[in-house]
Amino acid sequence: GSCTHSYDSNTAVTLNATASSGWSFSGWTGACIGVGACNLTMTANLSVTGVFLEPGHGVQFVAARPCRLVDTRKNGGQPISGGTSQDYALQSLGGCDIPSSAVAYSLNVTVIPHGPLGYLTIWPTGEAKPLVSTMNSLDGRIKANAAIVGAGSSGAVSVYVTTTSDLVLDVNGYFVTAGASTLAFYPLTPCRVFDTRWTDGDLGGPILPA
């Protein structure tokens, strides 16, 4: 269900989630992220959703050793032509042991453009190409970005580029139906935990040698 409540401006609000019998609390989305108490200050109209799951239902995360699935520069591969897309059946590529039961993938996507790249986008094969970019490289530099992508037709994902580009896909985990060996996945607000350029106390350090 849903509910609304009005507060005076700058009121501090705490939301706590309690799961009913047979269910578990999976986490907050919206103005709060995580599994603990949701603490807000009402500086604007805010919306929060508490997500509850039945154990053994839904999908959960399985961490995998980082493994290269695709590198179009090697083994007679071909770049993706500009203005076209290519499908990749990830479960059968790279010897990465991705099971056929995987319904989504945690990927690192690297693009090696052959010139200025308007954008690259990746999505589940069989669905319409989304009107969003996974990355852009208007200066033609090599770029990488993380992406969680659903498994499409035959477990494949599709990649579109505006300019002819080579592609590298690495996998570090996947999602399957919840089970004893799976891990609940909780998205967090993106946060930088380390930068070798930092000089504050012990947080920084020299650049790693080649």
Side-chain angles (χ1 to χ4, degrees), residues 139-205:
D139 57 4
R141 290 188 300 153
I142 297 172
K143 299 284 183 69
N145 197 10
I148 294 176
V149 186
S153 301
S154 300
V157 300
S158 298
V159 180
Y160 171 88
V161 291
T162 57
T163 302
T164 298
S165 302
D166 278 295
L167 174 74
V168 174
L169 292 178
D170 298 317
V171 64
N172 52 51
Y174 52 88
F175 294 82
V176 295
T177 300
S181 61
T182 56
L183 302 170
F185 175 74
Y186 302 105
L188 298 176
T189 301
C191 178
R192 181 155 297 174
V193 296
F194 190 77
D195 187 331
T196 59
R197 299 168 297 179
W198 286 343
T199 58
D200 182 13
D202 296 328
L203 293 178

Side-chain angles (χ1 to χ4, degrees), residues 94-106:
C96 295
D97 299 324
I98 306 302
S100 60
S101 57
V103 297
Y105 313 103
S106 177

Side-chain angles (χ1 to χ4, degrees), residues 31-91:
C32 278
I33 295 291
V35 296
C38 170
N39 296 300
L40 301 168
T41 300
M42 300 304 298
T43 57
N45 291 328
L46 300 175
S47 177
V48 175
T49 299
V51 181
F52 297 84
L53 297 175
E54 284 186 281
H57 293 73
V59 296
Q60 288 188 322
F61 183 68
V62 178
R65 61 180 177 85
C67 183
R68 182 143 298 176
L69 294 162
V70 175
D71 188 339
T72 60
R73 302 167 299 175
K74 297 182 178 181
N75 301 322
Q78 295 293 325
I80 306 173
S81 298
T84 69
S85 63
Q86 181 65 48
D87 302 338
Y88 298 94
L90 300 186
Q91 295 165 4

